[in-house]
Amino acid sequence: MTGSVEQGTSQTHGNTHILHFLVRLPRSMEAVWPAFVTPEGLAAWLTPADVLEHRLGGAVSLRGVGSGQVTAWDVDRVAEYTFEDGGRLRFHLERDGDAGCALRFTREFRGDGESEATWRTRFERLVESAG
C-alpha cells in the first residue's frame, strides 16, 4: 500500500474557514500516531511543538499555529488541539486495510493565511515520512 492525499475540501462560515483532508498512510494507526502527538513527530512534517501535554485539557503550543489546550484525546485514534484564537486542529485515525490507516483531518481557523495547497504539501511530507 502506498500513501495518498485525497482532494481537500474547504468551507467558509462568516470569518471561519474549515479545511478537511483524507490522507491514506501505509502504516498502522499505532505507528503513525506519534506524528500527531509528539514534538518530534509534529516537527517532522508540520511544526515544532514547544508544549504538548498528552491528556485531555493539557496545554499545547505549536509554533506558527498557536497556544491552547487538548480538547479531544483517544490514544491511537483522536487528538484535537483548540487554540486561544478559536482555531482547531483535529487528527482522527481509522484502520484502512490490513496494514494501513486513514487520517481524517480538520483545520478550523479565522481570517486568511492558510490554504489547501499549504496543507497538501505538509501531508505529502507526512506520507513520505510514513512510507
Side-chain angles (χ1 to χ4, degrees):
M1 173 184 182
T2 60
S4 66
V5 182
E6 296 190 9
Q7 182 65 40
T9 63
S10 71
Q11 303 170 345
T12 300
H13 303 281
N15 195 33
T16 301
H17 306 284
I18 303 170
L19 297 174
H20 295 281
F21 277 91
L22 177 62
V23 181
R24 297 187 187 283
L25 299 158
R27 297 182 63 204
S28 70
M29 291 168 44
E30 298 80 10
V32 173
W33 178 248
F36 314 116
V37 300
T38 65
E40 302 79 21
L42 286 163
W45 72 277
L46 178 58
T47 191
D50 295 318
V51 176
L52 185 52
E53 296 178 346
H54 299 116
R55 61 180 172 79
L56 189 61
V60 62
S61 180
L62 304 180
R63 283 187 215 166
V65 179
S67 296
Q69 68 179 157
V70 177
T71 49
W73 189 264
D74 183 1
V75 175
D76 291 337
R77 296 190 55 84
V78 177
E80 180 180 88
Y81 310 133
T82 301
F83 303 98
E84 294 166 354
D85 67 359
R88 180 173 62 107
L89 288 175
R90 183 176 180 88
F91 305 97
H92 183 146
L93 290 173
E94 301 172 346
R95 297 204 185 286
D96 188 26
D98 292 334
C101 68
L103 167 66
R104 295 189 183 279
F105 171 82
T106 302
R107 171 64 171 138
E108 187 174 320
F109 62 98
R110 294 191 177 115
D112 297 321
E114 295 191 39
S115 71
E116 190 176 320
T118 300
W119 281 99
R120 174 170 287 284
T121 299
R122 290 173 176 156
F123 288 127
E124 287 170 355
R125 212 170 28 236
L126 174 65
V127 167
E128 286 176 20
S129 69

